[in-house]
Amino acid sequence: MVKIRSLSSVLNLRLNMVDSQYYLPNDIGVSALDCGEAFRLLSPQEKMYAHYLSRAAWYGGLAVLLQTSPESANIFVLLQRIFRKQTPSQLAQVATAAGLSSEDYQAFLVYAAGLYANMGNYKSFGDTKFIPNLPKDKLEALVRASQAFQEQSAEMEALWDSCSCLLYSLEDRQKQLGLGDKGITTYFSGNCCLEDAELAQKFLDSKKLSAYNTRLFKRDDGGKACYEVRLASAVQKDCAVDGECESCCGSFSFEDKEFTVKRGDYAPLMEKVCHYLQQAQAYAANENQRKMLEEYRRSFTLGSVEAHKEGSRYWIKDKGPIVESYIGFIESYRDPFGSRGEFEGFVAVVNKAMSERFAKLVSSAEVLLPELPWPREFEKDTFLKPDFTSLDVLTFAGSGIPAGINIPNYDDIRQSEGFKNVSLGNVLAVAYATQKEKLTFLEEDDKDLFIKWKGPSFEVQVGLHELLGHGSGKLFVQDDKGKFNFDQSKVINPETGEPVSSWYRGSETWDSKFSTIASTYEECRAECVGLYLCLNKQVLSIFGHEGQDAEDVVYVNWLSMVRAGLLGLEFYTPESKSWRQAHMQARFVILRVLLEAGEGLVGLEEVTGKDGMPDARITLDRSKIHTVGKNAIHRFLCKLQVFKSTADVDGGRALYDGYSTVSDSGAYNFLRLRETVLLRKEVRKMFVQANTRVSGDSVELVEYEGTVAGLISSFTERFQDDAEQLEADLLELSKRDAPCWC
């Protein structure tokens, strides 16, 4: 009986832990992003430039609410109205009087901070929904007792009614983002499925239109499917407007279906973005910045990705600016089809000391690239030396903040004109700090070493991942005129020993061709490049690591990767057999590759923890990294690049899907290990960002404490200039599309 009871308690705890992934814990980590020193060192002109770019980023970032879920914008407005009238500390007394315990009220603050930090009610890292960790009736009591409700009861009642059900709903489809019956998305209307996404991609390709700034809405017209492709733009007219030869808008017949291309998605937000970009132009440091901002404005005014590409070209030419920024519909991770970009905008200040190391890495790139395991013909004809800087983030608007970025994402520009890399130093400084007692799945002997070298090793990995991972490799292309960028009579596929027999044609891109696996496959390739090249002594020396320290950095980098592969199981959904996070899927794939290498390189076993609950241990034999490990990554990385270069979707998908499979059969029961990972997971931190405000001729930096209350206050104050109009615009945009999600 004792055994049965303990098994039952284990199962109950596991069930609760699975449920707990839909709450944010009351003790969630919150850190302020420190950029005070970096901002103070800017000139008055640079401060003005940074201020107006930040305003553009923050207003554009609100589009993410509309890109995430049907209810996100309404929840955002509900919270803004409550906290505009009463600060978190003032509201605490109201909460007590309304019958909430201190834990209930903290849960409400954590939920509000989570919604702001993720720009919606789905986690930006993992795409699962999160709901308030307090009873619905208590939250409703607090809403009704708030000053905002007392002053505008009819409006607040309507707002609560519009989102309260979805705010708490955990129906299967609503638990995660996805397409069709696999989850929630607002990139597509609710009646769209994968076949619709594929057809729309073909249509867009035929019109030479990018999907980056679009959404797709399907309706039935007398039994015939009609599709609306909506472009994000301030202008709502579909005819040609100033500066355009002809409009890309209109109605078209394609494969017996009707397609209409229209402008005006997120129009009021795009208008604000353009307004602030115009103000930033007056403080630009040079002609490249002025032209860049002009093209961005044209892009967000007309809904033109071509204009954004042109702006990106000027951005690449703007080498080594003191204030760095990028803005637009950039990363396609959260589009279930992998083609539409989520809005993001960042403004950051260069960290000169760290940037010197990255500059040395750039200078060594041409020596390091030939070290990669694919034939010379599979590498770009010339390496276009990019800017690579370490930045302290002032503003990062969107759904989440990465540690490093390699942009632009436009393949045609990256292949022939170049790109930039940035590492976000003040994010790295706080994001990956770990307490020993919270460090899971490692041997005790490894924990101190891991804590000591995790930061420095991740710095090396990010540098290699962004510069030589995303920055390497050639795509074989035959353009519209039939011209090849490679000699198809001579280039041999190293995997088959035969001449290359497939390539990208015309307007096909990596994203459009590899669609649903493009993001995670590319992240995996870049991670493998980092693992492979961190074994190079020259690389380690550039980052200041020699001798035993250098070996420890290598060991912790590889150990960190295999541990991350195990942690990645949190982001797998067994019910739909789908992954919800590109980087974590990539790391799980690498874990599988290194386990398959055998010879005792990686050990993974299920154990019982000190608390009597299921646990796991992952180990790495450091003596075999340079031999067994390197050989395994060499073989795998070569395959990844060959499939990518040759546009071999079938081969690439078979390889990648094979390693991505999570099952309970074979040498490792990954489904059971997933439950253990959920049991012991640590929630990702949230970041509090400063605001800027103009005071006379100068710009002030307004900083907040690293708490949930600080995070909430930063958002309430961020949009206070035109709060009522902005909230009305968001509600109107949300209401207009509401019928499309049914």
Side-chain angles (χ1 to χ4, degrees):
M1 285 304 289
V2 174
K3 281 188 178 175
I4 292 171
R5 242 195 330 267
S6 65
L7 179 62
S8 154
S9 67
V10 168
L11 290 174
N12 281 335
L13 186 52
R14 278 192 161 148
L15 190 63
N16 290 337
M17 289 307 295
V18 171
D19 286 345
S20 76
Q21 70 180 305
Y22 304 111
Y23 300 107
L24 300 176
N26 275 12
D27 62 352
I28 192 169
V30 184
S31 294
L33 275 187
D34 179 20
C35 63
E37 185 61 26
F39 187 78
R40 277 187 283 278
L41 293 173
L42 296 179
S43 70
Q45 179 184 340
E46 289 162 349
K47 286 179 179 175
M48 283 289 190
Y49 183 65
H51 166 73
Y52 287 116
L53 285 177
S54 291
R55 300 307 290 155
W58 284 122
Y59 277 92
L62 294 172
V64 177
L65 293 164
L66 301 158
Q67 291 182 298
T68 299
S69 72
E71 65 274 14
S72 285
N74 291 37
I75 301 170
F76 176 87
V77 172
L78 179 76
L79 294 172
Q80 287 290 87
R81 288 189 174 170
I82 290 171
F83 289 117
R84 274 200 294 114
K85 293 292 183 183
Q86 291 166 293
T87 65
S89 57
Q90 290 168 340
L91 196 62
Q93 296 158 345
V94 177
T96 304
L100 278 72
S101 67
S102 59
E103 287 79 14
D104 290 334
Y105 185 58
Q106 176 69 7
F108 168 64
L109 294 182
V110 164
Y111 177 79
L115 187 114
Y116 289 135
N118 291 280
M119 260 301 107
N121 59 338
Y122 286 75
K123 293 176 191 171
S124 64
F125 200 86
D127 293 344
T128 43
K129 188 173 186 176
F130 58 95
I131 66 172
N133 194 11
L134 73 159
K136 186 175 177 179
D137 59 343
K138 290 199 173 183
L139 177 52
E140 183 173 0
L142 176 59
V143 170
R144 290 181 179 280
S146 69
Q147 188 179 328
F149 197 99
Q150 302 300 312
E151 292 179 8
Q152 290 184 299
S153 57
E155 290 93 330
M156 288 294 284
E157 178 106 45
L159 192 48
W160 171 256
D161 288 345
S162 73
C163 62
S164 57
C165 287
L166 284 173
L167 199 143
Y168 272 92
S169 171
L170 280 177
E171 289 180 20
D172 283 348
R173 185 169 166 238
Q174 285 160 1
K175 286 179 178 176
Q176 66 282 314
L177 298 179
L179 185 55
D181 58 4
K182 290 197 169 181
I184 294 296
T185 181
T186 48
Y187 286 108
F188 299 87
S189 56
N191 54 355
C192 284
C193 61
L194 185 60
E195 288 72 23
D196 297 306
E198 288 168 344
L199 179 66
Q201 187 63 56
K202 283 187 199 170
F203 166 74
L204 291 168
D205 288 345
S206 76
K207 291 290 171 191
K208 293 188 167 48
L209 280 174
S210 168
Y212 270 121
N213 66 341
T214 70
R215 293 196 290 169
L216 185 71
F217 296 86
K218 176 184 173 184
R219 61 185 171 79
D220 185 71
D221 187 5
K224 185 179 180 182
C226 298
Y227 297 92
E228 178 186 314
V229 174
R230 201 184 294 165
L231 309 175
S233 70
V235 166
Q236 300 189 56
K237 294 176 183 172
D238 294 329
C239 56
V241 293
D242 292 348
E244 275 192 308
C245 302
E246 58 177 332
S247 172
C248 61
C249 300
S251 292
F252 310 90
S253 185
F254 182 79
E255 294 193 6
D256 296 329
K257 303 287 191 298
E258 190 74 21
F259 276 85
T260 306
V261 180
K262 296 177 77 70
R263 285 195 178 107
D265 217 1
Y266 327 118
L269 301 178
M270 295 301 103
E271 212 171 297
K272 297 291 285 189
V273 172
C274 294
H275 167 73
Y276 285 117
L277 289 178
Q278 185 167 15
Q279 290 190 280
Q281 266 182 292
Y283 300 97
N286 54 54
E287 197 58 21
N288 277 326
Q289 286 184 0
R290 271 187 288 278
K291 287 180 173 173
M292 167 188 87
L293 295 178
E294 188 59 47
E295 292 297 336
Y296 288 165
R297 275 179 57 216
R298 197 160 71 86
S299 170
F300 303 134
T301 301
L302 304 177
S304 166
V305 170
E306 284 306 313
H308 195 270
K309 280 183 164 183
E310 201 55 36
S312 298
R313 290 185 172 100
Y314 287 116
W315 179 70
I316 293 165
K317 290 174 189 169
D318 184 29
K319 301 283 188 189
I322 301 299
V323 177
E324 184 61 283
S325 68
Y326 199 59
I327 189 168
F329 295 89
I330 312 300
E331 302 293 354
S332 56
Y333 301 125
R334 298 182 98 193
D335 168 15
F337 189 66
S339 295
R340 287 152 191 80
E342 184 174 73
F343 195 96
E344 69 180 44
F346 77 82
V347 184
V349 183
V350 170
N351 177 322
K352 289 180 179 171
M354 190 46 154
S355 295
E356 283 174 17
R357 293 185 194 173
F358 289 135
K360 285 181 188 170
L361 189 63
V362 172
S363 299
S364 307
E366 285 163 297
V367 178
L368 295 170
L369 280 169
E371 299 285 312
L372 291 169
W374 46 81
R376 174 71 193 86
E377 296 82 4
F378 285 71
E379 192 46 70
K380 291 183 183 125
D381 301 335
T382 52
F383 180 70
L384 302 159
K385 286 190 177 178
D387 245 14
F388 197 167
T389 47
S390 177
L391 306 174
D392 285 340
V393 171
L394 169 65
T395 293
F396 206 113
S399 66
I401 310 180
I405 320 170
N406 173 287
I407 34 183
N409 284 335
Y410 306 119
D411 283 327
D412 49 345
I413 294 180
R414 294 161 64 83
Q415 290 279 317
S416 57
E417 296 173 60
F419 53 90
K420 282 188 186 181
N421 292 284
V422 296
S423 174
L424 304 178
N426 57 344
V427 176
L428 283 169
V430 294
Y432 298 95
T434 312
Q435 297 165 300
K436 187 174 179 180
E437 58 272 18
K438 288 188 174 181
L439 198 51
T440 52
F441 309 131
L442 295 180
E443 297 274 16
E444 285 301 314
D445 293 349
D446 281 332
K447 287 184 179 179
D448 290 326
L449 205 60
F450 188 93
I451 287 167
K452 180 179 180 182
W453 293 110
K454 172 66 176 136
S457 72
F458 195 63
E459 194 176 87
V460 173
Q461 179 69 12
V462 167
L464 294 170
H465 172 116
E466 300 296 349
L467 175 68
L468 298 166
H470 292 315
S472 65
K474 180 172 181 171
L475 302 184
F476 296 145
V477 177
Q478 180 184 20
D479 66 20
D480 287 330
K481 294 172 184 169
K483 186 182 174 186
F484 290 87
N485 70 343
F486 69 104
D487 188 339
Q488 76 271 31
S489 65
K490 289 184 180 174
V491 178
I492 301 298
N493 181 326
E495 295 298 312
T496 64
E498 304 287 328
V500 165
S501 58
S502 58
W503 47 83
Y504 298 85
R505 298 167 193 270
S507 59
E508 288 179 343
T509 65
W510 162 249
D511 276 336
S512 71
K513 197 82 177 152
F514 279 70
S515 66
T516 53
I517 65 162
S519 290
T520 180
Y521 187 110
E522 175 58 12
E523 293 305 333
C524 187
R525 196 183 68 88
E527 290 284 46
C528 286
V529 168
L531 284 183
Y532 194 76
L533 289 180
C534 81
L535 303 176
N536 185 297
K537 284 190 167 65
Q538 183 185 349
V539 167
L540 295 162
S541 181
I542 287 168
F543 283 90
H545 308 304
E546 307 280 356
Q548 186 57 45
D549 284 358
E551 284 304 310
D552 285 346
V553 165
V554 168
Y555 176 63
V556 169
N557 194 35
W558 278 62
L559 181 64
S560 179
M561 185 62 70
V562 293
R563 177 176 178 264
L566 179 60
L567 296 177
L569 287 166
E570 176 191 340
F571 302 94
Y572 177 77
T573 304
E575 292 79 10
S576 58
K577 296 186 176 175
S578 61
W579 285 89
R580 307 185 312 275
Q581 215 292 321
H583 299 78
M584 299 311 278
Q585 179 180 355
R587 291 158 188 163
F588 176 75
V589 164
I590 291 169
L591 169 63
R592 291 282 310 274
V593 168
L594 294 177
L595 283 168
E596 185 182 86
E599 298 186 48
L601 172 68
V602 176
L604 174 60
E605 60 174 334
E606 295 182 68
V607 297
T608 301
K610 289 176 183 173
D611 56 4
M613 302 305 297
D615 207 340
R617 283 291 167 275
I618 195 151
T619 54
L620 176 70
D621 186 338
R622 70 157 70 205
S623 71
K624 293 178 180 172
I625 293 173
H626 286 269
T627 52
V628 181
K630 185 178 181 181
N631 289 340
I633 295 296
H634 181 289
R635 288 190 301 271
F636 182 60
L637 189 47
C638 188
K639 285 178 181 169
L640 288 176
Q641 182 57 49
V642 169
F643 290 137
K644 181 181 180 184
S645 290
T646 59
D648 184 352
V649 182
D650 294 339
R653 197 175 279 280
L655 174 75
Y656 202 75
D657 285 350
Y659 282 113
S660 298
T661 302
V662 177
S663 75
D664 53 5
S665 59
Y668 305 96
N669 187 332
F670 286 116
L671 282 174
R672 192 165 63 217
L673 279 163
R674 175 183 173 272
E675 292 173 5
T676 303
V677 169
L678 285 173
L679 195 65
R680 300 187 179 276
K681 73 187 174 84
E682 186 180 358
V683 179
R684 287 172 75 82
K685 286 179 181 168
M686 299 192 287
F687 297 117
V688 182
Q689 299 183 60
N691 284 322
T692 53
R693 66 170 170 232
V694 175
S695 178
D697 295 333
S698 63
V699 180
E700 294 176 354
L701 186 73
V702 184
E703 296 179 278
Y704 302 86
E705 61 182 16
T707 62
V708 286
L711 203 161
I712 290 165
S713 297
S714 73
F715 268 90
T716 324
E717 293 178 19
R718 194 158 283 149
F719 302 106
Q720 60 191 2
D721 298 348
D722 59 350
E724 290 188 11
Q725 182 58 54
L726 177 66
E727 289 161 14
D729 287 340
L730 283 170
L731 292 177
E732 182 55 39
L733 288 168
S734 178
K735 183 181 174 183
R736 182 185 73 168
D737 292 337
C740 302
W741 317 127
C742 301

